[in-house]
Amino acid sequence: MTSTLLLSSCATIFTGNRASININGQQDEPVNITTYDSTYQQVKLPYIVKIYKKKLKEKISVTSEHYKYQDFIPGRKMNPWIFGNIALGGVIGVAIDALTGAFYDAENKTVNLQYTPKNTNQMND
């Protein structure tokens, strides 16, 4: 019974409940990245953040001293491993994957940040 439960929750076992989002930028200036539950302070880009798959529709913000970045939402899509549950007839597995968030995967695993200078007069001083 236990092995049936474990084998039927394919997405949770094979992909876990967190997604890695690679954030790219062209500036050398350190940035602060804020997700729904974490803040990564003074990190250099590119940087990888880990997001719970259930929260992939939540906004991520990036800030720095001299640049304004556009907030983004990684988005989510159905995890292909769910089809393993369906093929095995694992209704319980699908439920486990839904509860853990492994039912989803990141729609955008790589984000290229859009930015503008905050104040061009400060940049020239």
Side-chain angles (χ1 to χ4, degrees):
M1 175 71 175
T2 304
S3 62
T4 303
L5 273 175
L6 290 175
L7 290 175
S8 64
S9 55
C10 290
T12 301
I13 293 168
F14 291 108
T15 66
N17 64 351
R18 296 182 81 142
S20 295
I21 308 298
N22 185 22
I23 302 173
N24 292 322
Q26 297 175 354
Q27 296 70 31
D28 290 328
E29 181 176 270
V31 299
N32 298 321
I33 302 171
T34 304
T35 67
Y36 75 99
D37 72 340
S38 300
T39 299
Y40 305 85
Q41 295 184 350
Q42 298 298 300
V43 298
K44 293 279 195 163
L45 299 175
Y47 196 80
I48 296 174
V49 295
K50 301 276 187 175
I51 306 291
Y52 284 106
K53 291 179 178 180
K54 281 185 168 183
K55 300 294 186 175
L56 287 168
K57 286 191 167 185
E58 300 289 328
K59 175 179 71 172
I60 296 177
S61 299
V62 178
T63 58
S64 75
E65 185 176 344
H66 295 107
Y67 296 96
K68 179 175 172 46
Y69 296 92
Q70 185 173 355
D71 295 343
F72 65 94
I73 297 172
R76 65 185 188 196
K77 62 182 180 180
M78 186 171 39
N79 188 335
W81 279 102
I82 294 301
F83 296 112
N85 286 336
I86 295 168
L88 295 173
V91 174
I92 294 172
V94 171
I96 291 169
D97 290 340
L99 288 173
T100 64
F103 190 87
Y104 304 107
D105 200 5
E107 189 170 37
N108 299 305
K109 292 182 181 184
T110 300
V111 175
N112 296 309
L113 291 176
Q114 302 298 315
Y115 64 93
T116 56
K118 283 186 178 175
N119 185 338
T120 53
N121 292 333
Q122 283 182 340
M123 295 293 289
N124 294 328
D125 289 341

